[in-house]
Amino acid sequence: METAAPSAVIVAIDGPSGTGKSSTSKAVAAKLGLRYLDTGAQYRAITWWMITNGVDTDDPQAIAIAAGKPTIVSGTDPAAPTITVDGLDAAGPIRTQEVTSKVSAVSAVPEVRTLITDLQRSIAAEAAQEADGIVVEGRDIGTTVLPDADLKIFLTASAEARAARRSGELRGKEATDLAATKEALIKRDAADSGRKTSPLAKADDAAEVDTTELTLDQVIECVVTLVEEKRAGRK
């Protein structure tokens, strides 16, 4: 088995929707010359595949049977992260409200989590061997996917702040009012935190960063500092 490069650092960033995980993770990876992986996009990708191929997303058994069929490939360049499903660009389609409303149910199926977790671990291992490391963001990275990550960070924020951010991301027919967005986020939190397999949770050794009152630049600066301190401590 190949060993990680001495300078490589694996950073796990977890937290619920609307805390700034994706924007922070991409920016930190770009600033520090690391690769970047959005694990949520992978679960959205397999959910999109289920929907487009007529799999009943309310039927865990049907999801489990179909889980191994799609081929999901994630590009890890933080400046231009990509995701394809069976060779098709899925970056746009996976962000629809339909996918958003069904991704929790699909990602709760153990067979789906096992497959996607294995994929995530292989991508992180490759980055540790062939690059300076990777920033992996999701909901169970520090607790389940990469429990031995060099640095674990858990981003949090008030439901009000998260709803405001998420509403600002939606456009046109996908846009919803603030109250509805907040309700959807709370429902998603409950589903992700309450699932039996790999629930959303803060790792015991994770550094918690409350982003409620912070600008994106402040959050990025905070995380960059944490990574640099970790790197310096290993020298």
Side-chain angles (χ1 to χ4, degrees):
M1 180 178 177
E2 294 182 67
T3 56
S7 62
V9 61
I10 304 298
V11 182
I13 299 183
D14 289 308
S17 298
T19 54
K21 285 198 311 296
S22 294
S23 298
T24 298
S25 298
K26 280 187 284 190
V28 169
K31 279 178 174 285
L32 298 176
L34 306 176
R35 293 186 183 180
Y36 160 74
L37 177 62
D38 175 2
T39 63
Q42 295 174 320
Y43 285 107
R44 284 176 170 273
I46 197 168
T47 300
W48 174 67
W49 185 91
M50 296 284 175
I51 293 170
T52 56
N53 283 274
V55 178
D56 184 356
T57 55
D58 291 322
D59 183 348
Q61 185 175 1
I63 293 170
I65 291 171
K69 294 181 180 180
T71 298
I72 298 171
V73 178
S74 297
T76 57
D77 178 355
T82 59
I83 186 158
T84 63
V85 181
D86 294 338
L88 299 174
D89 179 7
I94 65 172
R95 300 297 173 183
T96 64
Q97 189 58 44
E98 183 179 21
V99 171
T100 298
S101 67
K102 296 180 177 179
V103 65
S104 285
V106 173
S107 61
V109 176
E111 288 81 358
V112 170
R113 297 209 75 82
T114 296
L115 284 165
I116 299 297
T117 294
D118 287 345
L119 176 60
Q120 292 161 0
R121 287 173 176 163
S122 68
I123 293 171
E126 180 184 349
Q129 293 161 8
E130 301 179 2
D132 287 334
I134 191 169
V135 177
V136 183
E137 59 122 328
R139 286 172 168 75
D140 65 340
I141 310 306
T143 54
T144 302
V145 180
L146 301 170
D148 296 324
D150 298 301
L151 176 65
K152 302 174 188 177
I153 297 170
F154 191 86
L155 298 185
T156 186
S158 69
E160 289 76 15
R162 294 192 292 124
R165 292 168 186 165
R166 184 47 53 91
S167 291
E169 295 172 358
L170 301 175
R171 296 288 184 272
K173 67 178 182 180
E174 298 290 337
T176 55
D177 63 72
L178 198 60
T181 302
K182 179 181 175 182
E183 182 179 352
L185 284 175
I186 292 174
K187 183 178 180 180
R188 176 78 189 271
D189 289 348
D192 290 345
S193 301
R195 64 175 177 243
K196 293 182 179 180
T197 305
S198 302
L200 164 67
K202 176 190 171 187
D204 292 338
D205 54 348
E208 183 170 328
V209 178
D210 189 333
T211 70
T212 303
E213 302 294 336
L214 301 178
T215 65
L216 177 58
D217 285 343
Q218 288 174 324
V219 179
I220 293 167
E221 182 181 359
C222 176
V223 175
V224 166
T225 299
L226 289 170
V227 177
E228 290 180 332
E229 287 176 348
K230 175 61 66 173
R231 276 177 158 175
R234 290 168 54 181
K235 293 180 179 178

